[in-house]
Amino acid sequence: MSRVAHHTAEELADLKHRAPLLRLDGVTKTFPGVKALDDVSFDVRHGEVHALLGENGAGKSTLMKVLAGVHRANSGTIHLNGEPVEVNSPLEAKARGIVLVHQELSLAPELSVAENIFLGSLPTKRFGLVSWKRLNAAATHILDRLGVKFESYDRVGDLSIANQQMVEIARALVFTPKVVVFDEPTASLTDAEKVVLFDVIAGLKKEGTGIVYISHRMDEIFTLSDRITVLRDGQTRGTLNTRDTDEDGVTRLMIGRSLDKSARKAAPEPGPVALEVKGLSCGDLFRDISFSLRRGEVVGMYGLVGAGRTEIAETIFGLRAKDGGEIRIDGAPVDISGPPDAIRHGVALAPESRKEQGLVLGMNCRDNMSLSQLDAVSRGGWLDRGAEQAIYDEYAGRLSLKAPSWRTPVRNLSGGNQQKVVLGKWLGVKPRVLIVDEPTRGIDVGSKSEIHALIRRLAAEGIAVLVISSEMPEVLAVSDRILALYHGRLAREFAAADVTEDALVQAISGL
Amino acid sequence: MADTLASLRRYMVIPPIWLFLLACVAFFSVLTDDFLAPGNFTNILIQTSTIGIIALGMTVVMINGNIDLSVGAVVALAASLSVGLQDQLGTLPAVVVGLGSGVALGLLNGMIVWKTGVDAFIVTLGAMIGVRGLVFIYTGEQSFFAMDFAYSDFGMSTIAGLPTLAAIFLVFAAIMHWVMTATVHGRNAYAVGGNREAAEHAGVRVGRHMVINFMLVGFCAALAGVTLSTQMGASTPNLGRDYELWTITAVVLGGTKLAGGAGSILGTLGGVLTIGVLRNGMNLMQVPAFYVLVVMGVILIAVLFIDARVNRRGAGELRL
């Protein structure tokens, strides 16, 4: 702790004169058929947060995997503290003080928090027995630093996703790391948890740790970072000082053009009511929810995690049994006891977790798209390949899906394109009501605005669209009306024209 | 090298086990005089038809991400019923009862898996033990002999020079291949095994779908029991022991993943024939029976190891 440095503004200005802690030069990495990284150079200095930005598929993850020893670069060099090093395995990377905090959780759910944090390096006593006392003490020490509200002996499987993410971060702090790479660390964190994470990052900075921060969220990047490097198509497009740039400048580097912020065209007059929900209730998940969706209209549903948004969607789609209330489609009350019923009534749901619920990852694009409409592309149980292909071609075209071919497993697509496959799957059934839950989670900025425009276009074609989101800019960008949820209740309804961010925040916080 | 192998695989319609099968055929052709003899190949087909028929149903269940361990016991049950009831019911009705018993047990297995959510491995493990018990209760530990000679003649008969049992297997394999590649049911099987939750979200009636497949594998096992007993003109209560293991071995050799979502009938056919050729070839080379088992065990692991290497490199996954 003797090396604690306090950065004043002047010192920060000095940063660029310092020798980099970690430097990558001319790193190139090719996979069969793809040049994932092309002559990429990148460096991190002591006590600096260097944000790494780029659309999905730009090469961020590959770059970080090269750094963390998961992949080996075909050419290029890595210098740590000015010395050339080779990082051939994740273990070696760790030993050199380079730690990666994964976007995807890699925890053992049946083990305790402490065991997970020290997995692979459990403190032992005689005969190789685990020293529980030392283990829990050390874990508690790290957890205190993170200011979390769970204990070292809690079972990881019992924690919320956000708290599991904190355990993942705690893991990185075990070996006083020199460089910590955060890959989308806030994807599943609440605002309060984000603040804690940012404090941790500030603490690491003070100790002189170099931090690489990968995120899609501009606000975070501008709050946290000292410098920003943008990757596009596997190449470095530029490194900017955060103070000297703004969102627009960064976005231009990322996608090579300026972004049209508002996805909204002039809102057309909405049509008749397509979906009406009256007094819908389900246990203590949500109570007495009433709202309606008109054809040609996009309604946003905004609320904190746990406010019951996803559960409402699941109930309308028949995945959950309601214990009160009524659902009407085109004015007629319907009984939906499962997805097949919902689909028959023209209700479609693009679920929150694309990979777990929306797609069969190992299946190709075409088969994924036709999965919800096999009845329409078959006769007496026999598939009509021509009809199937026609549907794929139509929606791949309309959604401008970028896939090498229909045979490509959806696993190999970017998040944005995966979402398009999910949307295509539902558009084929010609839905009256389309519910999209977190349509752009984990999707990069460029594709985000494309998905938003798509949602607007679908509404314009006469579909009633319900967009569930925890991102305020998203809700504001796409909705004609906004439903604010608080604790399983409908707190307020806003017309998009006269909503303010403050009012929205108050509504979802129960104020 | 690994890259070319991987890209080769992508364009290869024929499952890789067929390469291994060809190698085995070449190996035994060179080392033994009798392997290429005209009658030997039909021999292999007859020998493998029992396991083969079960494997066709097992493939579908395993693509679903399930498994059925009770097939061996069902073989014994169906054989005992269709031989034992011949006196009272007549041959054809007895066979129908035998086949029906397999379908009914499949229905039971499937319903339990669906409604309770208990893993198919556990449910069918229980069924495997319990059904074997039923067989012993029904038969009183006795073997039955078919008094209707037409029954045992059927097992020896031929259609256009091809043994009837082999023909049944090959025709059934062709039908199942079409079901898996060209029907909604086949497509759903891959979707359910690949991601059950996503299939449910897409409107697939997952529970019903899985039950149908358990009934299918039950039927296959019962059919195998019937054909096996026509071959022997008899049934014994211990018939079909270890058949679940050989069946799963054949299916897995054929490239079907235990986790579900991937596999093919063509692969299973290759797996079944590989086991048949290895057994037959080593027999001709007069390898003692127990050594044959050792070799088969080693080959199972070796083939899957190579397959995993090729696949993993191809997918560019983590080095673990």
Side-chain angles (χ1 to χ4, degrees), chain A residues 88 357 359 381 383 385 388, chain B residues 181-182 184 187 195 197-198 319:
Chain A
N88 292 320
Q357 302 171 322
L359 296 166
L383 292 169
R385 289 281 161 73
E388 219 184 338
Chain B
T181 54
V184 171
R187 179 67 58 75
N195 186 345
E197 217 178 327
R319 283 188 311 210

Side-chain angles (χ1 to χ4, degrees), chain A residues 317-466:
Chain A
F317 194 60
L319 288 163
R320 243 173 233 283
K322 60 175 193 270
D323 58 12
E326 192 183 41
I327 299 169
R328 286 168 175 265
I329 304 281
D330 286 344
V334 292
D335 184 24
I336 295 177
S337 63
D341 288 343
I343 294 166
R344 210 178 58 243
H345 286 115
V347 180
L349 170 68
E352 179 182 19
S353 31
R354 234 175 359 254
K355 293 181 181 173
E356 286 77 24
Q357 302 171 322
L359 296 166
V360 183
L361 289 175
M363 223 179 213
N364 66 46
C365 298
R366 187 195 69 185
D367 294 359
N368 261 291
M369 231 186 236
S370 59
L371 193 59
S372 61
Q373 44 195 319
L374 287 178
D375 287 342
V377 297
S378 64
R379 203 167 280 201
W382 295 82
L383 292 169
D384 177 349
R385 289 281 161 73
E388 219 184 338
Q389 191 68 44
I391 284 191
Y392 173 77
D393 290 340
E394 179 185 348
Y395 290 101
R398 277 179 59 185
L399 301 170
S400 30
L401 176 72
K402 286 186 202 75
S405 110
W406 64 266
R407 287 173 204 274
T408 309
V410 289
R411 174 179 285 124
N412 298 350
L413 300 184
S414 68
N417 281 310
Q418 286 182 348
Q419 187 66 288
K420 286 180 186 175
V421 173
V422 174
L423 288 175
K425 177 167 112 174
W426 289 119
L427 295 183
V429 305
K430 310 259 183 291
R432 293 186 185 85
V433 178
L434 174 64
I435 306 172
V436 277
D437 196 353
E438 299 286 0
T440 61
R441 170 168 292 178
I443 290 178
D444 55 80
V445 227
S447 314
K448 243 180 195 173
S449 60
E450 201 182 338
I451 298 273
H452 290 164
L454 199 61
I455 289 172
R456 292 302 316 174
R457 211 171 74 213
L458 294 175
E461 287 168 15
I463 301 176
V465 187
L466 181 68

Side-chain angles (χ1 to χ4, degrees), chain B residues 96-116:
Chain B
V96 172
V97 171
L99 295 178
S101 71
V103 176
L105 282 168
L107 175 69
L108 187 68
N109 278 335
M111 290 302 284
I112 296 174
V113 169
W114 176 17
K115 295 297 183 187
T116 65

Side-chain angles (χ1 to χ4, degrees), chain A residues 167-285:
Chain A
V167 175
E168 191 82 45
I169 291 164
R171 241 184 193 182
L173 303 182
V174 172
F175 313 86
T176 7
K178 291 196 186 76
V179 178
V180 184
V181 181
F182 288 96
D183 188 3
E184 297 270 357
T186 58
S188 52
L189 297 190
T190 64
D191 286 339
E193 288 162 330
K194 272 182 213 171
V195 173
V196 175
L197 174 69
F198 294 169
D199 282 347
V200 171
I201 292 177
L204 286 170
K205 255 181 88 158
K206 271 189 194 161
E207 290 165 23
T209 313
I211 290 164
V212 182
Y213 193 88
I214 303 175
S215 178
H216 284 124
R217 303 198 177 179
M218 289 284 185
D219 52 333
E220 287 172 15
I221 284 168
F222 278 91
T223 316
L224 280 175
S225 71
D226 301 301
R227 285 189 300 162
I228 301 173
T229 289
V230 174
L231 281 182
R232 191 169 87 226
D233 301 330
Q235 295 176 325
T236 331
R237 292 292 159 160
T239 298
L240 307 166
N241 282 322
T242 308
R243 281 179 306 171
D244 307 336
T245 184
D246 58 5
E247 278 192 32
D248 219 37
V250 173
T251 310
R252 237 184 336 241
L253 275 184
M254 265 176 83
I255 59 177
R257 63 189 153 84
S258 263
L259 201 65
D260 179 17
K261 274 246 170 114
S262 152
R264 187 132 29 120
K265 306 280 169 285
E269 199 61 25
V273 172
L275 170 78
E276 193 173 9
V277 171
K278 275 187 190 162
L280 199 66
S281 302
C282 178
D284 42 354
L285 291 169

Side-chain angles (χ1 to χ4, degrees), chain B residues 54-93:
Chain B
I54 310 172
L56 297 175
M58 187 72 89
T59 305
V60 184
V61 169
M62 284 173 67
I63 286 174
N64 257 185
N66 290 320
I67 201 161
D68 188 350
L69 297 176
S70 68
V71 288
V74 171
V75 164
L77 182 69
S80 300
L81 286 172
S82 59
V83 175
L85 292 175
Q86 280 176 12
D87 291 345
Q88 295 110 295
L89 301 179
T91 305
L92 198 62

